[in-house]
Amino acid sequence: MNSIINLFAIFSGTTQLLIGHDRMSYVLLLFSGLALAAILWLLCAFFGRLFYKPYRLSVGQHVLCSQLAILVILTVPTYASAVYLQPSLAGMIANWRDTLVSNQAWNHQQFKREYYEIKKMGLEDFSSSPAPEKGGTTIPLKQEKSRIKLGQMEAESSIENFDFNFPLISKLIGAKTAVSANTVSQDMNNYFKTHQGTIYPHERGVQLAVEQIYSELEPQIPRIIFIIRLALGLLTFMGYAICLGWIAYSALKQIRIHSAHALLSS
């Protein structure tokens, strides 16, 4: 279900960007799709007559042709709008980041998990840092290993959340996204230079995850555009192949019925 939502969000984002950048082109593409859909509908009607001259499309076949017409009308501008895939995905990821950072329930859950993981390492003095259940809001991070561990947990939990909410994009990336210990260590050292005695903020861990996701995703953009366009083309082709197959079968069936009646009457 999440994959379908992802697909709709991607197409919606690229289409909105196309409308925002060039509304006239979008309108022309819609009319082009409409004209193409009408032509294909007429060709479907003509196709049956190649087998049996008096053949006419049934109500069900007209309904299928109307559905395929809607598909074509939407596919033409969507196909063209795929060039805006990169800013569309960037907007989706930025929105996810901001939503996750402001998610108090997720942040609290993460804090509890990190508190006990760092405590289990046995490297820090927790005497002045009560448990989350007792109102504690800090995790002692004097040791380098503790800092790296917490930073990686922050980033990896964010990536897991992203994979869950955006499974389609994660599959398109094609690699298991992970944040290196060096990246985490450098960011944490930079933070604690000016924020001693505080806890490493969730938003920085999430931002590390975002930067890693971007680095994995950006080289894949041309491939993803190709896959999206190929999928749209194949979907349209398969739809019309089914429609034409149904028409051919129905027309040939009417020929047999007509031939049988002709033999009986003779």
Side-chain angles (χ1 to χ4, degrees):
M1 187 62 182
N2 275 354
S3 293
I4 296 173
I5 295 172
N6 290 171
L7 199 61
F8 177 78
I10 290 170
F11 289 159
S12 176
T14 56
T15 302
Q16 287 175 16
L17 286 170
L18 173 60
I19 294 171
H21 282 83
D22 196 342
R23 189 180 297 271
M24 183 56 67
S25 291
Y26 177 75
V27 172
L28 289 173
L29 286 165
L30 274 181
F31 276 109
S32 299
L34 181 62
L36 179 59
I39 292 168
L40 290 171
W41 198 331
L42 290 172
L43 285 175
C44 286
F46 177 75
F47 183 73
R49 297 174 194 174
L50 294 176
F51 299 90
Y52 183 57
K53 247 184 179 179
Y55 184 78
R56 297 292 182 273
L57 296 182
S58 67
V59 173
Q61 288 167 344
H62 274 298
V63 170
L64 178 58
C65 284
S66 68
Q67 298 301 311
L68 290 172
I70 293 171
L71 175 64
V72 170
I73 293 167
L74 295 176
T75 294
V76 171
T78 302
Y79 186 97
S81 71
V83 295
Y84 293 103
L85 183 64
Q86 186 166 1
S88 175
L89 290 175
M92 286 175 62
I93 294 171
N95 183 64
W96 162 78
R97 176 197 61 204
D98 296 340
T99 302
L100 192 63
V101 167
S102 62
N103 188 329
Q104 295 300 320
W106 185 83
N107 287 331
H108 181 67
Q109 183 183 11
Q110 285 305 115
F111 176 75
K112 283 179 65 176
R113 193 167 73 91
E114 291 158 4
Y115 179 93
Y116 288 110
E117 282 292 326
I118 300 298
K119 189 173 184 180
K120 191 166 45 175
M121 292 174 69
L123 299 174
E124 304 289 347
D125 178 13
F126 278 78
S127 58
S128 301
S129 300
E133 294 83 358
K134 296 180 180 179
T137 57
T138 60
I139 300 174
L141 294 169
K142 293 185 178 180
Q143 302 299 320
E144 184 74 12
K145 287 184 179 179
S146 301
R147 293 182 179 186
I148 294 173
K149 175 68 175 177
L150 183 134
Q152 283 188 306
M153 287 181 69
E154 288 275 1
E156 287 169 6
S157 295
S158 302
I159 290 171
E160 286 174 10
N161 183 277
F162 181 85
D163 290 343
F164 175 78
N165 286 289
F166 299 93
L168 182 63
I169 299 174
S170 296
K171 288 174 186 174
L172 290 172
I173 291 174
K176 184 62 181 175
T177 305
V179 180
S180 71
N182 287 338
T183 302
V184 173
S185 176
Q186 183 178 0
D187 187 71
M188 296 195 82
N189 287 334
N190 291 338
Y191 177 78
F192 285 116
K193 280 178 183 177
T194 54
H195 300 83
Q196 293 182 3
T198 62
I199 187 170
Y200 186 69
H202 287 288
E203 55 267 25
R204 290 181 76 99
V206 175
Q207 185 57 36
L208 285 178
V210 168
E211 290 169 3
Q212 185 64 29
I213 291 166
Y214 273 135
S215 69
E216 295 279 353
L217 185 60
E218 192 170 2
Q220 303 293 335
I221 293 292
R223 182 176 71 91
I224 296 171
I225 292 174
F226 173 76
I227 291 171
I228 288 174
R229 286 178 167 173
L230 180 64
L232 289 170
L234 287 175
L235 182 63
T236 305
F237 174 80
M238 287 174 61
Y240 277 99
I242 292 169
C243 183
L244 293 175
W246 183 12
I247 292 169
Y249 173 78
S250 298
L252 291 171
K253 191 175 178 181
Q254 284 194 18
I255 291 174
R256 287 196 297 270
I257 294 170
H258 177 76
S259 299
H261 282 305
L263 287 172
L264 287 172
S265 61
S266 63

